[in-house]
Structures are given as structure tokens and as C-alpha cells.
Coordinates of all heavy atoms in Angstrom, one line a residue:
M1 N 96.8 84.0 88.0 CA 96.8 85.4 88.2 C 98.2 86.0 88.0 O 99.1 85.4 88.5 CB 96.2 85.7 89.5 CG 95.6 87.1 89.6 SD 95.0 87.4 91.3 CE 93.7 86.1 91.3
L2 N 98.2 87.1 87.4 CA 99.5 87.7 87.1 C 99.9 88.8 88.1 O 100.9 88.8 88.7 CB 99.6 88.2 85.7 CG 99.5 87.2 84.6 CD1 99.5 87.9 83.2 CD2 100.5 86.1 84.6
E3 N 99.0 89.7 88.2 CA 99.3 90.9 89.1 C 98.0 91.3 89.7 O 96.9 91.3 89.2 CB 99.8 92.0 88.2 CG 101.3 92.0 88.0 CD 101.8 93.2 87.2 OE1 102.0 94.2 87.9 OE2 101.8 93.1 86.0
V4 N 98.2 91.8 90.9 CA 97.0 92.4 91.7 C 97.3 93.8 92.1 O 98.4 94.1 92.6 CB 96.8 91.5 93.0 CG1 95.5 92.0 93.7 CG2 96.7 90.0 92.6
F5 N 96.3 94.6 91.9 CA 96.5 96.0 92.4 C 95.4 96.3 93.4 O 94.3 96.7 93.0 CB 96.3 97.0 91.2 CG 97.3 96.7 90.1 CD1 96.9 96.0 89.0 CD2 98.6 97.1 90.2 CE1 97.8 95.7 88.0 CE2 99.5 96.9 89.2 CZ 99.1 96.1 88.1
P6 N 95.6 96.0 94.6 CA 94.6 96.0 95.7 C 94.0 97.4 95.8 O 92.8 97.6 96.0 CB 95.2 95.6 97.0 CG 96.5 95.0 96.6 CD 96.9 95.6 95.2
K7 N 94.8 98.5 95.6 CA 94.3 99.8 95.8 C 93.2 100.2 94.7 O 92.2 100.7 95.0 CB 95.4 100.8 95.7 CG 96.1 101.0 97.0 CD 97.1 102.1 96.9 CE 98.0 102.1 98.2 NZ 99.2 102.9 98.0
E8 N 93.5 99.7 93.5 CA 92.6 100.0 92.4 C 91.5 99.0 92.3 O 90.6 99.1 91.5 CB 93.4 100.1 91.1 CG 94.3 101.2 90.9 CD 95.7 100.9 91.4 OE1 95.9 99.9 92.0 OE2 96.6 101.7 91.1
K9 N 91.7 97.9 93.1 CA 90.8 96.8 93.0 C 90.7 96.2 91.6 O 89.7 95.8 91.1 CB 89.3 97.2 93.5 CG 89.3 97.4 95.0 CD 87.9 97.4 95.4 CE 87.8 97.4 97.0 NZ 86.5 97.9 97.5
R10 N 91.9 96.1 91.1 CA 92.0 95.5 89.7 C 93.1 94.5 89.7 O 94.0 94.5 90.5 CB 92.4 96.6 88.7 CG 91.2 97.4 88.4 CD 91.5 98.6 87.5 NE 90.3 99.2 87.1 CZ 89.6 98.8 86.0 NH1 90.0 97.9 85.2 NH2 88.4 99.4 85.8
I11 N 92.9 93.5 88.9 CA 93.9 92.5 88.7 C 94.2 92.4 87.2 O 93.4 92.7 86.4 CB 93.6 91.2 89.3 CG1 92.4 90.5 88.5 CG2 93.3 91.3 90.7 CD1 92.4 89.1 88.7
I12 N 95.4 91.9 86.9 CA 95.7 91.5 85.5 C 95.8 90.0 85.5 O 96.6 89.4 86.2 CB 97.0 92.1 85.0 CG1 96.8 93.6 84.9 CG2 97.4 91.5 83.7 CD1 98.0 94.4 84.4
A13 N 94.9 89.4 84.8 CA 94.8 87.9 84.8 C 95.2 87.4 83.4 O 95.0 88.0 82.4 CB 93.4 87.5 85.2
E14 N 95.8 86.2 83.5 CA 96.2 85.6 82.2 C 95.0 85.2 81.4 O 94.1 84.7 81.9 CB 97.0 84.3 82.6 CG 98.0 84.0 81.5 CD 99.0 82.9 81.9 OE1 99.0 82.6 83.2 OE2 99.7 82.4 81.1
G15 N 95.0 85.6 80.2 CA 94.0 85.2 79.3 C 92.7 86.1 79.4 O 91.8 85.9 78.6
A16 N 92.7 87.1 80.2 CA 91.6 87.9 80.4 C 91.8 89.3 79.8 O 92.9 89.8 80.0 CB 91.2 88.0 81.9
N17 N 90.8 89.8 79.2 CA 90.8 91.2 78.7 C 92.1 91.4 77.8 O 92.8 92.4 78.1 CB 90.7 92.1 79.9 CG 90.3 93.5 79.4 OD1 89.8 93.7 78.3 ND2 90.5 94.5 80.3
I18 N 92.3 90.6 76.9 CA 93.5 90.7 76.1 C 93.4 91.9 75.1 O 92.4 92.1 74.5 CB 93.7 89.4 75.2 CG1 94.0 88.2 76.2 CG2 94.9 89.6 74.2 CD1 95.3 88.3 76.9
R19 N 94.5 92.6 75.2 CA 94.5 93.8 74.2 C 95.7 93.5 73.2 O 96.7 93.0 73.6 CB 94.8 95.1 75.0 CG 93.7 95.5 75.8 CD 94.1 96.5 76.8 NE 93.1 96.9 77.7 CZ 93.1 97.8 78.6 NH1 94.2 98.6 78.7 NH2 92.1 98.0 79.4
K20 N 95.4 93.9 72.0 CA 96.5 93.7 71.0 C 97.2 95.0 70.8 O 96.6 96.0 70.7 CB 95.9 93.2 69.7 CG 95.6 91.7 69.8 CD 95.0 91.2 68.5 CE 94.7 89.7 68.7 NZ 93.9 89.2 67.5
K21 N 98.5 94.9 70.7 CA 99.3 96.1 70.5 C 100.2 95.8 69.3 O 100.9 94.8 69.3 CB 100.0 96.4 71.8 CG 100.7 97.7 71.8 CD 101.5 98.0 73.0 CE 102.2 99.3 73.0 NZ 103.1 99.4 74.1
H22 N 100.2 96.8 68.5 CA 101.1 96.7 67.3 C 102.5 97.3 67.7 O 102.5 98.4 68.2 CB 100.6 97.5 66.1 CG 99.4 96.8 65.6 ND1 99.4 96.0 64.4 CD2 98.1 96.8 66.0 CE1 98.2 95.6 64.2 NE2 97.4 96.0 65.1
V23 N 103.5 96.5 67.5 CA 104.8 97.0 67.8 C 105.6 97.2 66.6 O 105.7 96.4 65.7 CB 105.6 96.0 68.7 CG1 107.0 96.4 69.1 CG2 104.8 95.7 70.0
R24 N 106.1 98.4 66.4 CA 106.8 98.7 65.2 C 108.2 98.1 65.3 O 108.8 98.0 66.4 CB 106.9 100.3 65.1 CG 105.6 100.9 64.7 CD 105.8 102.3 64.4 NE 104.5 102.9 64.0 CZ 104.4 104.2 63.6 NH1 105.5 104.9 63.5 NH2 103.2 104.6 63.3
P25 N 108.7 97.8 64.2 CA 110.1 97.3 64.2 C 111.1 98.3 64.7 O 111.0 99.5 64.4 CB 110.4 96.9 62.7 CG 109.3 97.7 61.9 CD 108.2 97.9 62.8
K26 N 112.0 97.8 65.4 CA 113.0 98.7 66.0 C 114.2 99.0 65.0 O 114.8 100.0 65.0 CB 113.6 98.1 67.3 CG 112.6 98.3 68.5 CD 113.1 97.4 69.6 CE 112.0 97.4 70.7 NZ 112.0 96.1 71.4
K27 N 114.5 98.0 64.2 CA 115.5 98.2 63.2 C 114.9 98.0 61.9 O 113.9 97.3 61.7 CB 116.6 97.1 63.4 CG 117.3 97.2 64.7 CD 118.3 96.0 64.8 CE 118.6 95.7 66.2 NZ 119.1 94.3 66.3
T28 N 115.5 98.5 60.9 CA 115.0 98.3 59.5 C 115.3 96.8 59.2 O 116.3 96.3 59.6 CB 115.7 99.2 58.5 OG1 117.1 99.2 58.8 CG2 115.2 100.6 58.6
G29 N 114.4 96.2 58.5 CA 114.5 94.8 58.1 C 113.8 93.9 59.1 O 113.5 92.8 58.8
E30 N 113.5 94.4 60.3 CA 112.7 93.7 61.2 C 111.2 93.8 60.9 O 110.8 94.8 60.4 CB 112.9 94.2 62.7 CG 114.0 93.4 63.4 CD 114.1 93.8 64.8 OE1 113.3 94.7 65.3 OE2 115.0 93.3 65.5
K31 N 110.5 92.8 61.3 CA 109.1 92.8 61.1 C 108.4 93.4 62.3 O 108.8 93.2 63.4 CB 108.5 91.4 60.9 CG 108.7 91.0 59.4 CD 108.0 89.6 59.3 CE 108.2 89.1 57.9 NZ 107.7 87.7 57.7
G32 N 107.3 94.1 62.0 CA 106.5 94.6 63.1 C 105.7 93.5 63.7 O 105.5 92.4 63.0
Q33 N 105.4 93.6 64.9 CA 104.7 92.5 65.6 C 103.4 92.9 66.3 O 103.2 94.1 66.6 CB 105.6 91.9 66.7 CG 106.8 91.1 66.2 CD 107.6 90.5 67.3 OE1 107.3 90.8 68.5 NE2 108.6 89.8 67.0
I34 N 102.6 92.0 66.4 CA 101.4 92.2 67.3 C 101.5 91.4 68.5 O 101.7 90.2 68.5 CB 100.1 91.8 66.5 CG1 99.9 92.6 65.3 CG2 98.9 92.0 67.4 CD1 98.8 92.1 64.4
V35 N 101.6 92.1 69.6 CA 101.8 91.4 70.9 C 100.4 91.5 71.7 O 99.7 92.5 71.5 CB 102.9 92.0 71.8 CG1 104.2 91.7 71.2 CG2 102.8 93.5 72.0
Q36 N 100.2 90.5 72.4 CA 99.0 90.4 73.2 C 99.3 90.8 74.7 O 100.1 90.2 75.3 CB 98.3 89.1 73.1 CG 97.9 88.8 71.7 CD 97.0 87.5 71.6 OE1 97.1 86.7 72.5 NE2 96.2 87.5 70.6
I37 N 98.6 91.8 75.1 CA 98.8 92.3 76.5 C 97.6 92.1 77.3 O 96.5 92.6 76.9 CB 99.3 93.8 76.5 CG1 100.5 93.9 75.6 CG2 99.5 94.3 77.9 CD1 100.9 95.4 75.3
P38 N 97.7 91.4 78.4 CA 96.5 91.3 79.2 C 96.2 92.6 79.9 O 97.0 93.2 80.5 CB 96.8 90.2 80.3 CG 98.3 90.1 80.3 CD 98.8 90.7 78.9
G39 N 95.0 93.1 79.8 CA 94.6 94.3 80.4 C 94.0 94.1 81.8 O 93.6 93.0 82.1
P40 N 93.9 95.1 82.6 CA 93.4 95.0 83.9 C 91.9 94.8 83.9 O 91.2 95.3 83.1 CB 93.7 96.3 84.6 CG 93.9 97.3 83.5 CD 94.4 96.5 82.3
I41 N 91.4 93.9 84.8 CA 89.9 93.8 84.9 C 89.6 94.0 86.4 O 90.4 93.9 87.3 CB 89.5 92.4 84.5 CG1 90.3 91.3 85.2 CG2 89.5 92.2 83.0 CD1 89.8 89.9 84.9
D42 N 88.3 94.4 86.6 CA 87.9 94.8 87.9 C 87.8 93.5 88.8 O 87.4 92.4 88.3 CB 86.5 95.4 87.8 CG 86.1 96.1 89.1 OD1 85.8 95.5 90.1 OD2 86.3 97.4 89.1
I43 N 88.3 93.6 90.0 CA 88.4 92.5 90.9 C 87.0 91.8 91.2 O 86.9 90.6 91.4 CB 89.1 92.9 92.2 CG1 89.9 91.7 92.7 CG2 88.2 93.5 93.2 CD1 91.1 92.1 93.6
S44 N 86.0 92.6 91.1 CA 84.7 92.1 91.3 C 84.2 91.2 90.2 O 83.2 90.4 90.4 CB 83.7 93.2 91.6 OG 83.6 94.0 90.4
N45 N 84.8 91.3 89.0 CA 84.5 90.5 87.9 C 85.2 89.1 87.9 O 85.1 88.3 87.0 CB 84.7 91.2 86.6 CG 83.8 92.3 86.4 OD1 82.7 92.3 86.9 ND2 84.2 93.4 85.7
V46 N 86.1 89.0 88.8 CA 87.0 87.8 88.9 C 86.3 86.7 89.7 O 85.8 87.0 90.8 CB 88.3 88.2 89.5 CG1 89.2 86.9 89.5 CG2 89.0 89.2 88.7
K47 N 86.2 85.6 89.1 CA 85.7 84.5 89.8 C 86.8 83.6 90.3 O 87.7 83.2 89.6 CB 84.7 83.7 88.9 CG 83.4 84.4 88.7 CD 82.4 83.5 88.2 CE 81.0 84.2 88.1 NZ 81.0 85.1 86.9
F48 N 86.7 83.2 91.6 CA 87.7 82.3 92.1 C 87.1 80.9 92.2 O 85.9 80.8 92.5 CB 88.1 82.8 93.5 CG 88.9 84.0 93.5 CD1 88.4 85.3 93.6 CD2 90.3 83.9 93.3 CE1 89.1 86.4 93.6 CE2 91.1 85.1 93.3 CZ 90.5 86.3 93.4
I49 N 87.9 80.0 91.9 CA 87.5 78.6 91.9 C 88.1 78.0 93.2 O 89.3 78.0 93.4 CB 87.9 77.8 90.7 CG1 87.6 78.5 89.4 CG2 87.3 76.4 90.7 CD1 86.1 78.6 89.1
C50 N 87.2 77.5 94.0 CA 87.7 76.8 95.2 C 88.1 75.4 94.9 O 87.3 74.7 94.2 CB 86.6 76.8 96.3 SG 87.0 75.7 97.7
S51 N 89.2 75.0 95.3 CA 89.7 73.6 95.0 C 88.9 72.6 95.7 O 88.9 71.4 95.2 CB 91.2 73.5 95.3 OG 91.5 73.8 96.7
K52 N 88.4 72.9 96.8 CA 87.6 72.0 97.5 C 86.2 71.8 97.0 O 85.6 70.7 96.8 CB 87.5 72.4 99.0 CG 88.0 71.3 100.0 CD 87.9 71.9 101.4 CE 88.4 70.9 102.4 NZ 88.2 71.4 103.8
C53 N 85.5 73.0 96.7 CA 84.2 73.0 96.2 C 84.1 72.7 94.7 O 83.1 72.2 94.2 CB 83.5 74.3 96.5 SG 83.4 74.8 98.2
G54 N 85.2 73.0 94.0 CA 85.3 72.8 92.6 C 84.5 73.7 91.7 O 84.2 73.4 90.6
K55 N 84.1 74.8 92.3 CA 83.4 75.8 91.5 C 83.6 77.2 91.9 O 84.3 77.4 93.0 CB 81.9 75.5 91.5 CG 81.3 75.3 92.9 CD 79.8 74.9 92.8 CE 79.3 74.5 94.2 NZ 78.0 74.0 94.2
A56 N 83.1 78.1 91.1 CA 83.3 79.5 91.5 C 82.6 79.9 92.8 O 81.4 79.5 93.0 CB 82.8 80.4 90.4
I57 N 83.3 80.5 93.6 CA 82.7 80.8 95.0 C 82.9 82.3 95.3 O 83.6 83.0 94.7 CB 83.4 79.9 96.0 CG1 84.9 79.8 95.9 CG2 82.8 78.5 96.0 CD1 85.7 80.9 96.5
K58 N 82.3 82.6 96.4 CA 82.5 84.0 96.9 C 83.8 83.9 97.8 O 84.0 83.0 98.5 CB 81.3 84.4 97.8 CG 80.2 84.9 96.9 CD 79.1 85.5 97.7 CE 78.0 86.1 96.7 NZ 76.8 86.4 97.4
V59 N 84.5 85.0 97.7 CA 85.8 85.1 98.4 C 85.6 85.8 99.8 O 85.1 86.9 99.8 CB 86.8 85.8 97.5 CG1 88.2 85.9 98.3 CG2 87.0 85.1 96.2
G60 N 86.1 85.2 100.8 CA 86.2 85.8 102.1 C 87.7 86.1 102.4 O 88.6 85.6 101.7
Y61 N 87.9 86.7 103.5 CA 89.3 86.9 103.9 C 89.5 86.5 105.4 O 88.6 86.6 106.2 CB 89.7 88.4 103.8 CG 89.7 88.9 102.3 CD1 88.6 89.5 101.8 CD2 90.8 88.7 101.6 CE1 88.6 89.9 100.5 CE2 90.8 89.1 100.3 CZ 89.7 89.7 99.7 OH 89.7 90.1 98.4
K62 N 90.6 86.1 105.6 CA 91.0 85.9 107.0 C 92.4 86.4 107.2 O 93.2 86.4 106.3 CB 90.9 84.4 107.4 CG 91.9 83.5 106.8 CD 91.8 82.1 107.4 CE 92.8 81.1 106.8 NZ 92.8 79.8 107.3
I63 N 92.7 86.8 108.4 CA 94.0 87.3 108.7 C 94.7 86.4 109.8 O 94.1 86.3 110.9 CB 93.9 88.8 109.2 CG1 93.5 89.7 108.0 CG2 95.3 89.3 109.7 CD1 93.0 91.0 108.4
V64 N 95.8 85.9 109.4 CA 96.5 85.0 110.3 C 97.9 85.6 110.4 O 98.6 85.7 109.4 CB 96.6 83.5 109.7 CG1 97.4 82.7 110.7 CG2 95.2 83.0 109.6
Q65 N 98.3 85.8 111.6 CA 99.7 86.4 111.8 C 100.0 87.6 110.9 O 101.0 87.7 110.2 CB 100.7 85.3 111.7 CG 100.7 84.3 112.8 CD 101.5 83.1 112.6 OE1 101.9 82.8 111.5 NE2 101.7 82.3 113.6
K66 N 99.0 88.5 110.9 CA 99.1 89.7 110.1 C 99.2 89.5 108.6 O 99.5 90.5 107.8 CB 100.3 90.6 110.6 CG 100.1 91.2 112.0 CD 101.3 92.0 112.4 CE 101.1 92.5 113.9 NZ 102.2 93.1 114.4
K67 N 99.0 88.3 108.2 CA 98.9 88.0 106.7 C 97.5 87.8 106.3 O 96.7 87.2 107.1 CB 99.8 86.8 106.4 CG 101.2 87.2 106.2 CD 101.9 85.9 105.6 CE 103.4 86.2 105.3 NZ 104.1 85.0 104.9
K68 N 97.2 88.4 105.2 CA 95.8 88.3 104.7 C 95.7 87.1 103.7 O 96.5 87.0 102.8 CB 95.4 89.6 104.0 CG 93.9 89.8 104.0 CD 93.7 91.2 103.5 CE 92.2 91.5 103.4 NZ 92.0 92.8 102.8
F69 N 94.7 86.3 104.0 CA 94.5 85.1 103.1 C 93.1 85.2 102.5 O 92.2 85.6 103.2 CB 94.6 83.8 103.9 CG 96.0 83.5 104.4 CD1 96.3 83.8 105.7 CD2 96.9 82.9 103.6 CE1 97.6 83.6 106.2 CE2 98.2 82.6 104.0 CZ 98.6 83.0 105.3
R70 N 93.1 84.8 101.2 CA 91.7 84.7 100.6 C 91.2 83.3 100.9 O 91.9 82.3 100.8 CB 91.9 84.8 99.1 CG 91.8 86.2 98.6 CD 91.6 86.2 97.1 NE 92.7 85.4 96.5 CZ 93.8 85.9 96.0 NH1 94.0 87.2 96.0 NH2 94.7 85.1 95.4
I71 N 90.0 83.3 101.3 CA 89.4 82.0 101.6 C 88.0 81.8 100.9 O 87.4 82.8 100.6 CB 89.2 81.7 103.1 CG1 88.3 82.9 103.7 CG2 90.5 81.6 103.9 CD1 87.7 82.6 105.1
C72 N 87.7 80.6 100.8 CA 86.3 80.3 100.2 C 85.3 80.5 101.3 O 85.5 80.1 102.5 CB 86.3 78.8 99.8 SG 84.6 78.2 99.4
K73 N 84.3 81.3 101.0 CA 83.3 81.6 102.0 C 82.5 80.4 102.4 O 81.9 80.4 103.5 CB 82.4 82.7 101.5 CG 82.9 84.1 101.9 CD 81.8 85.2 101.7 CE 82.3 86.5 102.2 NZ 81.3 87.6 101.9
K74 N 82.4 79.5 101.5 CA 81.6 78.3 101.8 C 82.3 77.3 102.8 O 81.7 76.9 103.7 CB 81.3 77.5 100.5 CG 79.9 77.7 100.0 CD 79.7 76.8 98.8 CE 78.2 76.9 98.4 NZ 78.0 76.2 97.1
C75 N 83.6 77.0 102.4 CA 84.2 75.9 103.2 C 85.4 76.4 104.0 O 86.0 75.6 104.8 CB 84.5 74.7 102.3 SG 85.8 75.1 101.1
G76 N 85.9 77.6 103.7 CA 87.0 78.1 104.4 C 88.4 77.7 103.9 O 89.4 78.0 104.4
Q77 N 88.3 77.1 102.7 CA 89.6 76.7 102.1 C 90.3 77.9 101.6 O 89.7 78.8 101.0 CB 89.2 75.7 100.9 CG 90.4 75.4 100.0 CD 91.2 74.3 100.5 OE1 90.9 73.6 101.4 NE2 92.4 74.1 100.0
E78 N 91.6 77.9 101.8 CA 92.4 79.0 101.3 C 92.5 78.9 99.8 O 92.7 77.8 99.2 CB 93.9 78.9 101.9 CG 94.0 79.6 103.2 CD 95.4 79.4 103.7 OE1 96.3 79.4 103.0 OE2 95.5 79.3 105.0
I79 N 92.4 80.1 99.1 CA 92.5 80.1 97.7 C 93.5 81.1 97.2 O 93.8 82.0 98.0 CB 91.1 80.3 97.0 CG1 90.4 81.5 97.6 CG2 90.3 79.0 97.0 CD1 89.1 81.8 96.8
Ligands
LIG1 ZN1 85.1 75.9 99.1

């Protein structure tokens, strides 16, 4: 995972929702490029894989010492 925007409930994940952007050459003689930019995807579309269960699971939360942790709802493993 690259970036999380909790307010928007969106994340930017590696390899997900790739957008291609054409970049014009900045100097003459340079070639234009196509760069791939991962776009934001809705957090509800994101599947988390529990390392213990080994499959996509539902995500729960627990708060320990004012820190929020994502946990597997099945086994309680932090993810
Ligand atoms: Zn689990």
C-alpha cells in the first residue's frame, strides 16, 4: 500500500487502478514519456490478506494505547 486517505476512505495502492499519463518533454530533444500513476481506489474495494489465515478477510480495528490497528476479524491478527 502506498498511501491512505482515511477521510476520503480512499487509498492509493501499488498496481491498482493504474492511470497512464503522457508527459511532454521539458527540453527540446527529449522524448515524451508515458508514466504510470496509481489512482485512488475506494477503501471498501480493497481486500486485505491475513498472514495467518492466508486469504482475503474482513478488516476490524482495535485501539491499543491510542493507536489504531487493523486486525483480521477472523483471528485477530494485526494486518
Ligand atoms: Zn486471520
